[in-house]
Amino acid sequence: MNTDPSRGGGSPARERSRAGGPPVRAVVVDRAPEAELLEAALDAGAHVVLEGPPGTGKSTLLRAVARSRDIGFAFVEGNAELTPARLVGHFDPALVIARGYSPDVFVDGPLLEAMREGTLLYVEELNRVPEETLNVLLTAMSEREVAVPRLGRVTAGPGFRFVAAMNPYDTVGTARISGALSDRTCRIAMGYQSAASEVAIVRGSVAESGAALDEDWVRRAVELVRATREHPELQTGSSVRGAIDLTRVALALAARRDAPLADVGLDAAKVSLSGRIKVARTSDRTPEAIIAELYERFFTTPKTEATEGDSPGQSSAAAEGGADSEQQAAPQRRPRPRSSPDERQVSRRELESSPSFQQISPEVGQVDEEALRDALSDDVDGTIVLLSRMRRATDPALRAAAERLSARLIFERVARGRPDRSGIHRRLRSVGRLDGDLDIEASLDRIVDARAQARPVALDDLVSSHWSRSSLCLVLLVDRSGSMSGDRLAQASILAAACAVRMPDEFAVLAFGRDVVTLRELHEQAPGSDVVDRVLRLVGHGETGLTNALTRAAEVLAGSRASRRVVVLLSDCRVSDSHGEGLPAAVRAAQALDELVVLAPGGDSAEASGFARRAGARCAELTDAQNGPEVLDSLLAGLS
């Protein structure tokens, strides 16, 4: 039963079952160990967090345990709108105006109801709940009581327990759980079930509709879905819910079209799975293309047969070819800029001077991707320089492999472990604003005062809440002049990846020598690895046209919607533009910008520091490529 719909995302659903319900193992497939651990934790009076990806049965497990123990529980969906008032409860505004504050006009929220009744409070998506709301839970968990202004203290009944679920792999719109909350809970990790268990789950779910099932088809559907979790171009795969919907939609399509499952399976797979998977930033393929590849692998190509002469993985490569053909039909990408048409090639003997080259390329034309990943972890600077040289190798196969892998692996190296915060917003309260939502709870005292003074309620008496998010636009200026060639220019690929990770929507990359070249437009929809690839193709030569570059950056920023507009300049600021007005003009162009951050090459920062002082900018020295993202974060934080 749902209560008070005004609570929005915090509306709880309360359930109670008769004692002696079905055993947990009869309800939840392949979760007997987790069920035992959960019951033991509840018996011990502990609070519990169930942690695992979507579709692993966290809510189902708790319901089954609650029914077997004859315990009611309040179900609360965690999201950014779950405020403390929605969790704890609130005074009814109309009754307060008529009768004043008293306990009988207070409407309990799910937390207080669970505490009074001595039942379970279950919060789903715990890491989406605002921090101020989670803080309310700390006292309830450790002291087993909550103090409510004008109401008093509410003490928890003996059976009160807090149970939560969260997906630790979802980084959009989520936040880290504080150590204080983690210290008050036990954690039960729940991974995906086995393939056989997922087949049983799909079979049981679809059988409820009464449809006839093809057992082999269900098994292939589950294998396809499980393959999405390990696909190299997918950041997030589908849960078993995808296999359930795939099977259901295929059965429904087959019935509507009067066709066999084989004729409708691909359409069903695309509609059921394309929204569940998340393509990695390093891939430029569509979800539908990847689903088509996997469908071809598990449904179209016989698993135990191979055409004579085929090598392992050839059918998968064919599917890849189909996807590539589809992409070739699309509009051509903007040409990738090259700084010099007569770029000098590098022989294998020259490449062997790098200590890690033999491990990365043990044979002519070969690249060991794992060895390359290890080298990037051990020596970022040296490996980036090596990669830039491998992209100019005389060996065409080695050159192609380096071009194919380098940008993606560099981007992954920078993006690893950094959450995407682009979806996080915060609720702010304001007085006297017409936009946003009226916050009745926060406005109540002012409304009561107005009534007591026998005056109309004015706009300044009302508190509204609205969403706000810090908005930032970055323009990365990469100096590709002769004094910034070689290792210095290679550092720019790390900074380009760092900007792509931090601002996936509004950031631009410009490269400049005498002229300015756009490597990424401000609102271009391009994978971050593409931007890194364009930077890696640069070769340092020519003059340093700093004035033109800064002027062009200001023009780009004019098209931004962000409240903060920052130019990040990677340069030694050794102005050598024979057609400009020299350093004074560059200083004037820099002073016209809202914010400027100068990153100078290590051991050669004197002129950059002097330029930054004259322009009123911040400056830091890059000792190596690896510390580039950290230096960038530090400087941006100092500007905020």
Side-chain angles (χ1 to χ4, degrees):
M1 179 182 69
N2 290 331
T3 64
D4 189 6
S6 66
R7 294 178 193 163
S11 299
R14 293 168 183 80
E15 302 180 14
R16 182 177 292 278
S17 303
R18 295 188 304 271
V24 174
R25 67 184 59 191
V27 178
V28 187
V29 177
D30 197 17
R31 287 297 182 209
E34 291 85 352
E36 182 182 42
L37 292 174
L38 176 57
E39 294 205 60
L42 295 177
D43 288 342
H47 307 285
V48 182
V49 172
L50 305 175
E51 188 176 293
T56 51
K58 297 183 290 293
S59 300
T60 304
L61 173 62
L62 178 63
R63 285 192 176 93
V65 168
R67 288 170 185 155
S68 69
R69 298 166 67 94
D70 189 29
I71 304 174
F73 70 91
F75 178 92
V76 181
E77 180 184 351
N79 55 47
E81 296 207 20
L82 183 58
T83 62
R86 286 176 172 168
L87 184 65
V88 174
H90 63 278
F91 286 94
D92 187 304
L95 294 178
V96 168
I97 293 173
R99 294 154 49 183
Y101 288 101
S102 62
D104 61 315
V105 300
F106 188 85
V107 180
D108 284 351
L111 173 59
L112 259 59
E113 287 207 4
M115 292 178 68
R116 293 186 196 275
E117 297 175 7
T119 57
L120 301 180
L121 173 68
Y122 178 53
V123 179
E124 197 164 44
E125 304 292 351
L126 179 66
N127 49 349
R128 295 182 183 275
V129 178
E131 183 179 2
E132 59 179 345
T133 306
L134 293 178
N135 289 339
V136 174
L137 292 168
L138 297 179
T139 305
M141 295 164 64
S142 58
E143 305 298 330
R144 300 188 61 81
E145 66 177 21
V146 172
V148 183
R150 298 189 180 92
L151 181 66
R153 294 187 178 275
V154 177
T155 303
F160 170 72
R161 303 286 188 277
F162 168 70
V163 183
M166 59 180 277
N167 170 19
Y169 308 108
D170 191 352
T171 58
V172 178
T174 62
R176 294 180 62 183
I177 299 301
S178 70
L181 192 143
S182 298
D183 188 53
R184 290 166 169 81
T185 57
C186 295
R187 171 181 172 272
I188 298 177
M190 297 179 62
Y192 289 110
Q193 289 108 314
S194 65
S197 297
E198 292 193 347
V199 169
I201 291 170
V202 175
R203 186 191 306 116
S205 179
V206 177
E208 295 175 0
S209 63
L213 285 175
D214 182 332
E215 293 292 330
D216 182 65
W217 202 92
V218 171
R219 178 179 55 79
R220 290 171 181 258
V222 168
E223 290 177 347
L224 188 159
V225 166
R226 292 176 68 87
T228 65
R229 304 168 196 165
E230 301 176 354
H231 196 284
E233 294 182 75
L234 293 181
Q235 180 176 330
T236 304
S238 171
S239 72
V240 70
R241 294 190 186 108
I244 293 171
D245 278 358
L246 168 56
T247 307
R248 286 176 170 172
V249 172
L251 290 170
L253 270 179
R256 291 179 67 88
R257 297 178 181 178
D258 192 21
L261 288 176
D263 292 348
V264 301
L266 180 57
D267 287 343
K270 288 180 177 180
V271 73
S272 301
L273 302 178
S274 60
R276 285 183 160 95
I277 63 176
K278 183 177 181 181
V279 179
R281 291 174 179 166
T282 52
S283 173
D284 56 4
R285 298 175 68 193
T286 65
E288 289 78 10
I290 294 175
I291 294 302
E293 170 209 326
L294 293 175
Y295 187 86
E296 176 79 14
R297 183 194 307 174
F298 290 103
F299 282 90
T300 305
T301 304
K303 290 188 167 187
T304 56
E305 299 178 8
T307 304
E308 185 176 354
D310 284 354
S311 59
Q314 186 169 334
S315 61
S316 177
E320 289 277 4
D324 291 342
S325 301
E326 178 183 328
Q327 292 173 13
Q328 291 171 5
Q332 292 292 317
R333 295 182 184 174
R334 174 168 45 77
R336 291 162 167 163
R338 284 186 180 271
S339 297
S340 176
D342 56 346
E343 191 174 354
R344 189 183 73 83
Q345 291 189 326
V346 182
S347 69
R348 185 174 181 88
R349 178 172 296 179
E350 291 176 283
L351 292 171
E352 287 174 347
S353 62
S354 172
S356 59
F357 179 72
Q358 285 290 355
Q359 288 75 37
I360 293 173
S361 178
E363 300 290 341
V364 173
Q366 293 183 359
V367 172
D368 186 328
E369 184 171 342
E370 287 305 313
L372 184 53
R373 289 180 190 274
D374 292 342
L376 276 170
S377 297
D378 297 337
D379 179 14
V380 175
D381 287 74
T383 307
I384 290 176
V385 172
L386 174 60
L387 282 171
S388 67
R389 300 180 72 205
M390 288 170 60
R391 292 167 68 100
R392 295 181 280 122
T394 53
D395 177 358
L398 180 62
R399 186 168 65 246
E403 290 186 350
R404 176 174 55 86
L405 292 172
S406 56
R408 174 168 63 85
L409 294 183
I410 289 173
F411 186 81
E412 287 180 355
R413 173 69 175 78
V414 174
R416 187 184 309 150
R418 183 172 181 91
D420 180 0
R421 299 299 184 192
S422 59
I424 293 182
H425 298 251
R426 294 185 179 274
R427 278 281 191 184
L428 298 182
R429 287 178 175 173
S430 302
V431 176
R433 288 180 54 160
L434 293 174
D435 59 330
D437 302 320
L438 179 63
D439 191 329
I440 294 292
E441 183 77 14
S443 305
L444 198 51
D445 286 343
R446 298 167 182 264
I447 296 172
V448 171
D449 289 344
R451 292 289 297 269
Q453 297 169 22
R455 64 175 177 82
V457 176
L459 179 60
D460 288 343
D461 293 322
L462 303 179
V463 179
S464 63
S465 63
H466 54 94
W467 290 112
S468 176
R469 176 164 64 96
S470 175
S471 184
L472 173 67
C473 173
L474 295 179
V475 174
L476 175 62
L477 278 180
V478 179
D479 185 347
R480 61 165 182 171
S481 64
S483 61
M484 287 292 291
S485 61
D487 298 3
R488 297 180 176 185
L489 193 55
Q491 292 179 341
S493 62
I494 289 287
L495 289 175
C499 290
V501 170
R502 286 152 180 77
M503 282 303 303
D505 296 324
E506 282 209 337
F507 86 98
V509 182
L510 308 178
F512 69 96
R514 176 178 175 180
D515 301 315
V516 183
V517 176
T518 300
L519 302 185
R520 187 193 193 275
E521 300 284 355
L522 187 63
H523 299 113
E524 180 182 346
Q525 297 297 318
S529 56
D530 276 13
V531 182
V532 176
D533 181 70
R534 296 167 192 170
V535 173
L536 285 171
R537 290 172 178 269
L538 295 174
V539 177
H541 75 289
E543 300 176 343
T544 307
L546 187 54
T547 304
N548 287 340
L550 293 170
T551 302
R552 176 59 185 145
E555 294 171 354
V556 171
L557 287 175
S560 170
R561 300 181 293 266
S563 58
R564 287 187 63 205
R565 304 175 184 187
V566 183
V567 174
V568 178
L569 172 62
L570 175 63
S571 174
D572 55 14
C573 297
R574 195 164 287 131
V575 180
S576 59
D577 184 4
S578 59
H579 296 275
E581 300 179 29
L583 186 60
V587 170
R588 289 195 297 272
Q591 291 172 337
L593 299 171
D594 291 349
E595 300 176 9
L596 175 63
V597 171
V598 180
L599 299 178
D604 187 16
S605 61
E607 290 180 70
S609 297
F611 172 78
R613 283 195 301 271
R614 294 182 60 179
R618 293 174 64 85
C619 182
E621 184 175 320
L622 285 182
T623 55
D624 53 49
Q626 186 168 1
N627 79 329
E630 288 75 17
V631 171
L632 178 62
D633 279 342
S634 175
L635 288 174
L636 291 177
L639 284 167
S640 60

